[in-house]
Amino acid sequence: MTDDPPPVHHTAPSALDAGRLSGARPETADGAAVDGNIHVGYWDSPADDRSLDRATDRLTDLVAERLAAVPGRRLLDVGCGTGRPALRIARATGARVSGISVSEEDVELARTRADATELADRVDFRYADACELPFETASFDGAWAIESMMHISDRTAALTEIARTLRPGSPLVITDVLLRSPVTGDAADLVRRTCRAFKSPSLPEPAELRAALDRAGLEVVEFNDIGEHVRRTYQAFADAFDGVAPSADDPHHEFFSFTRSLPRFGALPQIGYAFLIARRP
C-alpha cells in the first residue's frame, strides 16, 4: 500500500496523552511528565470531540460495564500498565483489583498511584508473567486484558492461566489491536515495523484469538470489532509526539521515530480492534 491515507480527524492531545501505546513515558514539549492510560481511545461517533485522555478512559469504562462487578468481588488486570484502568474500575465498581505487569517500572508507578488514593486497600500490583500467574485457582470473579495479547507470544498459555484463576461463570474482557485479514507488500512491512516499535511478536487475528480461547476452555460470549471507534488514536499519538527528537541511545528511540507512521498504520483497512467477552464455563 503506497497511497497516502485519507484525511484523519485530528484530536488535540492533552498533557497526559503522549505515553500511550508503547508504554514509553518521555516528557512532553511543555515539560509535563507523561503518566496515564497506555491504550487506545474510544469515540462514540465522528462528532465526538473528547480528548484522547478522556477517550482512553471511555474505553476503560466500557470494559468495566462488561465486567458487571459489584462491591466485594475480586478482579484481575492482566497487563496493568501504570494502574490507571485498575484504579478507575475499582472506584467505579467497588471491587478489589489485582494488577500484573512484566514491567517493574510500571508496577512501581502503579503502586505509587494507588498509595496516593483512598483505594490502596483494595488495589494491588505485582510483577508477574501472564503465562505463570501467582494466584490460586478460581480466585477471581472477573478479569480483563487491555492490549496485552498483542505483547504475548503464547496466547493460549496466557489465556489458559487466566481461565485457571477465574471462578466458574466469570467473564474475561479482552480489547486489542486486531489484524482483520492478511497483509502483503508495503502494508505487511508497515505492520511488521509497527510490531517491532511496540515490542509485539505479532498482531492477533480473529481466528487465532477464537482458537486460543477455545483451547483455554473459555466460551466466547461476544466478539466485536470496534476499529472505527478507536482509529482516531493513531493520529492523536502522532500529533502528541510531533517534534520529539530522541537521541540515538534512547531506549524508546525506535518507537518515537516510528510515531509519524502511526496514521498510515491506523488507516490500513486490515487493522481493526477487538472487543470481546469470554466466560469460564
Side-chain angles (χ1 to χ4, degrees):
M1 178 172 283
T2 57
D3 294 338
D4 291 333
V8 179
H9 183 107
H10 287 248
T11 298
S14 74
L16 294 176
D17 284 343
R20 301 289 185 241
L21 291 174
S22 74
R25 277 172 296 280
E27 289 193 346
T28 55
D30 62 1
V34 173
D35 188 15
N37 293 318
I38 310 173
H39 59 73
V40 303
Y42 181 97
W43 288 267
D44 292 317
S45 70
D48 186 345
D49 63 355
R50 74 185 75 204
S51 70
L52 177 59
D53 191 53
R54 289 179 57 215
T56 57
D57 280 340
R58 171 71 172 136
L59 183 77
T60 300
D61 292 344
L62 292 174
V63 170
E65 289 174 10
R66 299 306 197 279
L67 289 167
V70 297
R73 296 291 177 89
R74 191 179 180 201
L75 304 175
L76 172 64
D77 180 359
V78 181
C80 61
T82 59
R84 181 162 161 172
L87 290 167
R88 187 174 181 87
I89 290 176
R91 183 177 292 110
T93 65
R96 292 176 294 145
V97 178
S98 294
I100 64 134
S101 173
V102 291
S103 167
E104 293 181 345
E105 179 185 10
D106 280 355
V107 169
E108 188 59 36
L109 284 169
R111 288 172 174 167
T112 299
R113 171 172 277 155
D115 289 342
T117 73
E118 74 285 2
L119 300 170
D121 62 335
R122 288 200 286 115
V123 180
D124 65 272
F125 301 98
R126 68 186 73 186
Y127 180 91
D129 190 326
C131 294
E132 194 173 350
L133 294 172
F135 304 109
E136 295 182 1
T137 297
S139 54
F140 290 100
D141 301 292
W144 75 86
I146 299 178
E147 289 166 35
S148 301
M149 292 298 117
M150 68 181 290
H151 297 292
I152 298 173
S153 298
D154 192 341
R155 289 160 188 152
T156 296
L159 290 168
T160 300
E161 264 294 88
I162 295 169
R164 178 187 64 79
T165 67
L166 290 174
R167 296 188 177 98
S170 299
L172 166 64
V173 181
I174 295 175
T175 77
D176 222 311
V177 180
L178 188 71
L179 187 62
R180 291 170 171 168
S181 59
V183 286
T184 59
D186 290 347
D189 179 64
L190 181 56
V191 169
R192 281 193 295 270
R193 289 192 293 115
T194 303
C195 288
R196 189 165 61 246
F198 292 125
K199 303 186 184 339
S200 168
S202 65
L203 298 181
E205 299 181 32
E208 178 209 348
L209 277 178
R210 287 182 180 276
L213 287 162
D214 183 65
R215 287 192 293 267
L218 292 162
E219 297 178 347
V220 176
V221 179
E222 294 181 32
F223 195 125
N224 300 307
D225 184 342
I226 60 170
E228 308 318 312
H229 290 276
V230 308
R231 203 173 296 281
R232 202 184 304 180
T233 302
Y234 304 107
Q235 182 64 58
F237 275 11
D239 291 344
F241 285 112
D242 186 35
V244 174
S247 61
D249 59 351
D250 189 309
H252 302 298
H253 180 274
E254 184 170 20
F255 171 76
F256 294 141
S257 300
F258 178 76
T259 54
R260 65 179 61 92
S261 298
L262 278 174
R264 288 184 56 234
F265 169 78
L268 291 174
Q270 297 95 335
I271 298 301
Y273 195 87
F275 192 111
L276 70 89
I277 300 93
R279 184 180 68 89
R280 181 185 173 185

